[in-house]
Structure formats: C-alpha cells, structure tokens
Amino acid sequence: MPKKIINKLRIKRKAAPKTSQTVFTPPGTISYVGVHREGEVITETIAYGPEHYEKHDKIVYSLPNDYVKWYNLDGIHDIEKLKKIGKRFDIHPLLLEDVANTTQRPKTEFYPNYVFQCIKMISYDEKDHDIEQEQVSIILNEHEVVTFQEQTGDVFGSVRSRIENNHGRIRTSDSDYLFYALIDSVLDHYFIAIEKIGDYLDVLEDEIFNDPEKESLNKVQNNKRVLINLRRSVYPLRESISRLLKEESRFLQPQTKAYFQDAYDHCIQIIETIESYREINTGLKDMYLSSVSHKMNQIMQVLTIISSIFIPMTFLAGIYGMNFEHIPELTWQHGYMYFWIICAVMFVGLIVFFKFKKWL
C-alpha cells in the first residue's frame, strides 16, 4: 500500500503516560505517572448521619466517629500531599504507588485495615467521538471512604445530591454503601457512553450505506479503537466486582453485597453491549468495502454501456474513413444522412435491448 494512503488511514492516538520511570524504582516508591498536571490539589470532606450533614472544602479529621466521612482529593500529582494523606489513614506505600500510577487496570485489593478499589471513570466526547478515561482510587475503612481522582470534575454529583437531600438509604447506611454508590455511579456513566456510541454507530451505518467516503473508513477505525479501550476498562472490573461479592471483609456488610450483585449484573450487561457493538463496527468496515465496490461496479456499468453504444458507430465511421478510392456508398447523394439514421437506429435499438435485459 502506498505510503500516502497509509498516512491517511492512520488514526491519531493520544500519548500514553510513560511508565518507564517507575520500572527501576524500589517497590513502594510513590511517583506520579500520568498526564502532566499543575496546580493545587482540591480536597473535600462530606460527613453525614441519619440526622446530620456537613460539607467542608478541606480535609477535616476531627469529626465524630459515628459519622460516615467521605474524603475526596482532586489531583494526585502532588506526591507530598499523597504521603500526608497516606500517613493519616495508614495507607500502605504499595497502595499509594498504585494510586499515583494512572495506568493501573481496574482491581480490588483487601487489606487488614481497608478495602482498595481502582476503577476507570469514563466520559464520551460527542465532538471528537472519543472516550476520556480517568482513574479513580477508592479506599474503604470503618466509617470512612477516601477517593483519589486525577482532576477536578467527576460523575459523583448524584451521590452528593442524595447525601445532601437525604434521598434513598445512603444516609442511614454505613460507609460500605457509600463505597457501592460510588462504583455504581461510575457504571451508570458507562451506560451513557455506550448509548452515545450506539447512536454514532447508527449515523456511521447510514453514512456508509448512502454515500461512503474515504473519511468513513477512518471513522470506523477510530470507533474500533474507542471500543477496545472501553473493553479494557470494563473487563477487569467484572473480576474486581466479583471479588467484592465472594471475599469476606469486616468492612462489607452482608446486606450491601446484594447491591454489589446488581453492580456485577450491570457490568456483564455493559460487556455484552460492547461486544455486540464491536461486531457491528466490524460489519461497518465490510459494508464500506462492499459499498465502495458496488459504487465502482455501477460506474463501470455505465461506462460499459456507453462504450457498447458507440462501438458500432465507431465501426461504421472507421469503415467510411478509410482512404480507398472505390468504396460503394461514398458516391451516394444522401450517404451522410443515411449514416446518421443508421447510427440513431443502432443507438435506440441498443437502449431498448439493455432495458429488456434489465441492464439499465
């Protein structure tokens, strides 16, 4: 394939975070791996109970033990801040290393003093038709949940609203239900992203069927990459939630595990939808090639019919254009008119014949 065509079909890929900087460092060395960020880490504390709610724009440790506390950090590029938080909550250095490394796959780990959950938060960009991923690390211990996010802005608005307005059972439940609610909120936004991808697939299908262009193949190829990245985020999450269901922990109450079963079912549904969309996307590539081939066949059919019509006329013109002195019809007074009459009859006759054969 020519180099120019390869360059046109090449899809732009976002630069992946460099992980080589952590390869030769001792285990437990906390170093940020991800997109370069600057600015101050934004912190938030939400404390609540059945009859109590308060919110602070900073980390507040001096809160009653019977309150459920949610500590949220937006920004993990500040290593000193991470170490300070880790010391306060007695977080193992290996776990903090995973928090700072944004290339982690979704996973669940059980420690004596807490449960650790790593998950990918997904949003779909309808303008660029791409997904944006952000790693969220969630730590659950007794009456406390700590979340670490790469940047400001998340999908937890509904959870905050339910806590503030005392909707549902979240205010009457312990921290393990908050832990579930955060995971469930991330999964709900997977459904939103998948729905938008499905709508885009419908648009691509109509575009390829009606008027396939070279850019259509690039769009299909880019959508394939989006689905692969989405699959990489969801497949490990199925195993992760399965561990939350099967393994015992003093921080996970039996009544909360029923909700994790629902989250597991959602995860399976998301995976099945992604697989079906991947098959549809592969079919779009085949449809593009078929549509282009069909379009080329139509063009060749028209050109062939035009050639077939003019070949007999060219044959006649060739005969009477020869430089022989004695050609019988050259002396006819109305020979030129007869020539055009014969050509017109052949033209109409061939058109009728092609119509009869349904070639037109």
Side-chain angles (χ1 to χ4, degrees):
M1 186 180 291
K3 185 176 181 181
K4 184 180 293 185
I5 297 178
I6 294 176
N7 289 335
K8 285 184 177 180
L9 295 179
R10 185 172 294 144
I11 305 299
K12 292 184 179 179
R13 286 174 167 78
K14 295 181 180 178
K18 295 181 179 180
T19 58
S20 58
Q21 56 186 331
T22 63
V23 173
F24 301 106
T25 57
T29 302
I30 306 171
S31 57
Y32 174 66
V33 178
V35 179
H36 177 71
R37 303 189 188 282
E38 296 180 351
E40 185 179 357
V41 175
I42 299 175
T43 57
E44 177 187 50
T45 301
I46 295 178
Y48 61 89
E51 304 297 333
H52 178 81
Y53 168 81
E54 59 182 275
K55 179 179 178 181
H56 305 274
D57 294 331
K58 60 180 180 179
I59 301 294
V60 179
Y61 301 115
S62 56
L63 292 169
N65 292 331
D66 57 341
Y67 288 171
V68 175
K69 281 86 68 178
W70 175 14
Y71 302 102
N72 182 65
L73 287 84
D74 293 337
I76 54 177
H77 54 279
D78 190 337
I79 301 303
E80 294 304 319
K81 189 79 171 180
L82 279 183
K83 290 180 179 179
K84 184 179 178 181
I85 296 293
K87 184 177 181 181
R88 166 61 180 79
F89 292 100
D90 193 24
I91 302 175
H92 197 282
L94 286 174
L95 194 151
L96 283 178
E97 182 182 4
D98 290 343
V99 170
N101 186 352
T102 63
T103 62
Q104 292 292 325
R105 70 194 297 268
K107 62 179 180 178
T108 301
E109 293 180 351
F110 291 87
Y111 291 83
N113 298 326
Y114 41 78
V115 177
F116 172 69
Q117 175 70 52
C118 177
I119 193 171
K120 298 294 184 181
M121 187 165 56
I122 297 294
S123 61
Y124 186 75
D125 188 344
E126 294 185 79
K127 182 180 179 181
D128 295 332
H129 301 291
D130 202 355
I131 59 170
E132 297 178 357
Q133 299 188 45
E134 180 183 347
Q135 178 170 300
V136 179
S137 302
I138 310 173
I139 296 176
L140 165 69
N141 60 25
E142 192 171 5
H143 304 308
E144 293 177 332
V145 172
V146 186
T147 52
F148 300 89
Q149 304 184 50
E150 294 183 50
Q151 56 186 339
T152 305
D154 53 39
V155 299
F156 302 138
S158 61
V159 179
R160 293 186 178 93
S161 176
R162 284 154 55 193
I163 295 173
E164 182 178 358
N165 300 311
N166 197 11
H167 289 163
R169 64 188 302 269
I170 193 166
R171 287 270 287 270
T172 58
S173 303
D174 208 344
S175 56
D176 59 337
Y177 188 83
L178 173 61
F179 181 72
Y180 154 75
L182 296 175
I183 295 175
D184 184 63
S185 182
V186 173
L187 286 174
D188 286 344
H189 279 75
Y190 274 85
F191 282 107
I192 295 174
I194 288 175
E195 182 180 356
K196 293 178 180 178
I197 291 174
D199 293 339
Y200 183 53
L201 281 172
D202 291 339
V203 173
L204 274 180
E205 185 176 14
D206 293 338
E207 177 183 322
I208 291 173
F209 184 79
N210 295 323
D211 188 20
E213 300 290 342
K214 291 182 180 179
E215 186 61 26
S216 302
L217 185 60
N218 286 346
K219 293 177 181 178
V220 171
Q221 206 61 19
N222 182 73
N223 209 50
K224 176 184 176 182
R225 179 178 60 84
V226 169
L227 290 169
I228 290 175
N229 290 338
L230 194 59
R231 184 177 183 271
R232 287 173 180 169
S233 299
V234 180
Y235 257 79
L237 187 58
R238 176 181 60 177
E239 176 187 349
S240 174
I241 296 178
S242 178
R243 288 196 63 190
L244 291 172
L245 284 169
K246 295 176 181 178
E247 298 195 23
E248 297 295 329
S249 172
R250 63 189 179 95
F251 304 112
L252 296 173
Q253 301 177 17
Q255 59 267 29
T256 307
K257 287 201 172 185
Y259 292 95
F260 282 112
Q261 180 63 56
D262 182 65
Y264 181 79
D265 294 339
H266 288 171
C267 194
I268 296 298
Q269 184 179 352
I270 292 170
I271 291 173
E272 290 176 349
T273 305
I274 292 174
E275 290 301 325
S276 64
Y277 282 175
R278 289 185 66 194
E279 292 179 5
I280 292 173
N281 197 77
T282 302
L284 288 180
K285 185 176 181 180
D286 296 336
M287 181 188 291
Y288 170 81
L289 296 176
S290 299
S291 297
V292 171
S293 177
H294 178 66
K295 191 175 182 180
M296 181 62 68
N297 288 339
Q298 287 182 319
I299 295 173
M300 294 303 298
Q301 182 182 16
V302 172
L303 294 178
T304 302
I305 289 174
I306 292 174
S307 300
S308 300
I309 290 173
F310 282 95
I311 283 175
M313 302 179 189
T314 306
F315 174 74
L316 290 178
I319 290 177
Y320 292 104
M322 292 187 296
N323 295 322
F324 292 105
E325 183 176 354
H326 302 288
I327 297 180
E329 293 83 6
L330 287 179
T331 58
W332 288 1
Q333 181 180 358
H334 303 291
Y336 180 73
M337 181 180 64
Y338 296 153
F339 171 80
W340 281 111
I341 291 174
I342 294 172
C343 287
V345 170
M346 286 192 297
F347 178 83
V348 174
L350 287 172
I351 292 294
V352 171
F353 178 74
F354 291 151
K355 286 284 188 181
F356 176 75
K357 288 289 188 178
K358 297 183 179 180
W359 294 347
L360 282 177

